Amino acid sequence: MIDSSKNEYLGELRARVVPQGPFNVTPLFVEKAKGAVVYDVEGRELIDFSGGIGVMNVGHCHPKVVAAIKDQAEKYTHTCFHVVMYEPYVKLAEKLCALTPGSFPKMAMFANSGAEAVENAVKIARYYTKRPAVIAFENAFHGRTLLAMSLTSKVMPYKLGFGPFAPEVYRMPYAYCYRCPFNLKYPDCDVTCADYLKEFFGSHVPAESTAALIVEPVAGEGGFITPPPEYFSKLINICHDNGIVFVADEIQTGMGRTGKMFAMEHWGVEPDLVTVAKSLAAGMPLSSVVGKKEMMDAPHVGGLGGTYGGNPVCCQAALAVLEVFEEENLLQRAEVLGKKLRERFDALQQQFEIIGDVRGKGPMLAMELVKDRETKKPAADEAKALVKFCYEKGLILLSCGNFSNVIRTLMPLVITDEQLERGLAIMEDGLSVISK
Ligand SMILES: Cc1ncc(COP(=O)(O)O)c(C=O)c1O
């Protein structure tokens, strides 16, 4: 029997025993989820355009992933890789080394969360270069641990009140063409924002002190900001001319999110180190740093690791995810999905003045809402109202951006055309309502 007050009851319990810090996009509690659909505890069906924040690219409860988890859980769930090693860890490392961009020899290590992968990438780059500084970007999000939070650029809610921050973090403007920090226009700008790195060495931090530059191919939490084609090759060349490790944070963009397995492939760039998490293991906590063998192998024995890193159940889930990608041609599906979404979003932009910009790569697509297309004043309240309208009508949708005015899509790539249409129809209704 369905209890029609169960969300409310659990919500009250949550408010009583869980602090407000861990935020909630919706007031709903889940009962079960399948593919691109989430069912709440009151039996409501919701189309999921969030995928648990970009984690469920292969879909909720994919049978192959569920079977892999069950099977592994019956054999052993933990020995700690540092105590008794196991095959799923090394098999997955082998696969990721083959899948990440770059034909050079690679190695991979595992941790639990995206933030932890970022922390490890910085440790590796520092050890390898023997330099302290890290360059990050405006609009960046790299996680919530001390160093990852220090690399993150959005103050509210991520940083306010949580200082002091980790030292030796320096911040460059990002290639935010819609609101160009240099007040220029692509392509006439000649991608000045990338060349600015050379000046940055004079004004902020010397190249000789810089271990790594860490950058998201598409700024995820920052608003799906998508740099122009020349951007990353310029950046990586400047890094390499100066002995700086180029780290691509592919935690949100990776695992097929943009229509390629890793988003840097769109820019034809081969990062020195890549951080991977989120959709890697379809909801099981697993992250990885993959990259150049000589860098990965630099830290001494015992310098990297953790009790749970590369848990065998998580690694088996990830191996199953990779099989699903192959068997179901998910990259091809992602490309088709991306085209469909782009067409619809472009049409919606024609229809609704509030949509100032449509951007992204493949099905990692977003619309930036503005009160006025001339002034580009961010429409954050309207974005919030749209998210609320949508979950009340049966669509889970997420906002992002430093002004919280960007609506983004992170739906499972296995979403059916019918589910996609249903979700988009709700979005369109919501845009009509908030545009009034
Ligand atoms: C690009 C990027 N890096 C790092 C993180 C942090 O990952 P986690 O929340 O697993 O620590 C995220 C999470 O949203 C992310 O999008």
Side-chain angles (χ1 to χ4, degrees), residues 67-278:
I69 292 169
K70 282 186 178 166
D71 189 47
Q72 182 58 42
E74 281 179 1
K75 290 185 187 147
Y76 57 93
T77 57
H78 179 82
T79 55
C80 185
F81 186 70
H82 310 307
V83 179
V84 180
M85 295 179 285
Y86 37 85
E87 185 173 334
Y89 191 114
V90 291
K91 282 257 157 125
L92 184 61
E94 183 186 31
K95 293 238 183 250
L96 285 179
C97 289
L99 278 172
T100 47
S103 49
F104 38 78
K106 289 181 218 142
M107 286 182 154
M109 64 154 288
F110 297 104
N112 305 291
S113 66
E116 239 191 299
V118 167
E119 299 264 347
N120 278 289
V122 172
K123 278 174 72 174
I124 292 163
R126 281 180 170 160
Y127 200 100
Y128 177 74
T129 59
K130 305 282 177 259
R131 299 171 177 182
V134 185
I135 297 176
F137 287 81
E138 282 171 15
N139 312 99
F141 183 86
H142 296 293
R144 293 168 179 273
T145 53
L146 179 62
L147 177 55
M149 171 177 63
S150 305
L151 293 167
T152 291
S153 104
K154 192 174 176 181
V155 169
M156 190 60 192
Y158 305 123
K159 301 180 86 160
L160 182 79
F162 296 130
F165 301 106
E168 290 302 322
V169 170
Y170 300 87
R171 197 171 306 287
M172 281 254 299
Y174 193 59
Y176 193 173
C177 295
Y178 184 62
R179 299 177 189 274
C180 176
F182 296 87
N183 256 325
L184 298 171
K185 253 207 157 8
Y186 181 81
D188 297 341
C189 64
D190 207 17
V191 198
T192 295
C193 53
D195 294 322
Y196 177 69
L197 177 55
K198 291 185 214 154
E199 252 178 70
F200 196 80
F201 296 143
S203 57
H204 288 75
V205 58
E208 301 76 30
S209 305
T210 307
L213 175 143
I214 183 163
V215 66
E216 295 163 83
V218 175
E221 304 303 302
F224 281 24
I225 304 165
T226 312
E230 305 84 348
Y231 187 64
F232 292 114
S233 48
K234 278 192 170 200
L235 281 184
I236 198 171
N237 287 339
I238 301 170
C239 283
H240 286 172
D241 287 347
N242 290 281
I244 296 168
V245 177
F246 182 91
V247 183
D249 182 346
E250 292 254 16
I251 285 165
Q252 192 159 154
T253 52
M255 304 307 296
R257 188 66 250 158
T258 66
K260 306 253 186 224
M261 192 52 102
F262 291 98
M264 275 301 178
E265 295 169 49
H266 290 287
W267 283 267
V269 160
E270 298 177 353
D272 300 313
L273 301 178
V274 179
T275 52
V276 192
K278 287 199 184 274

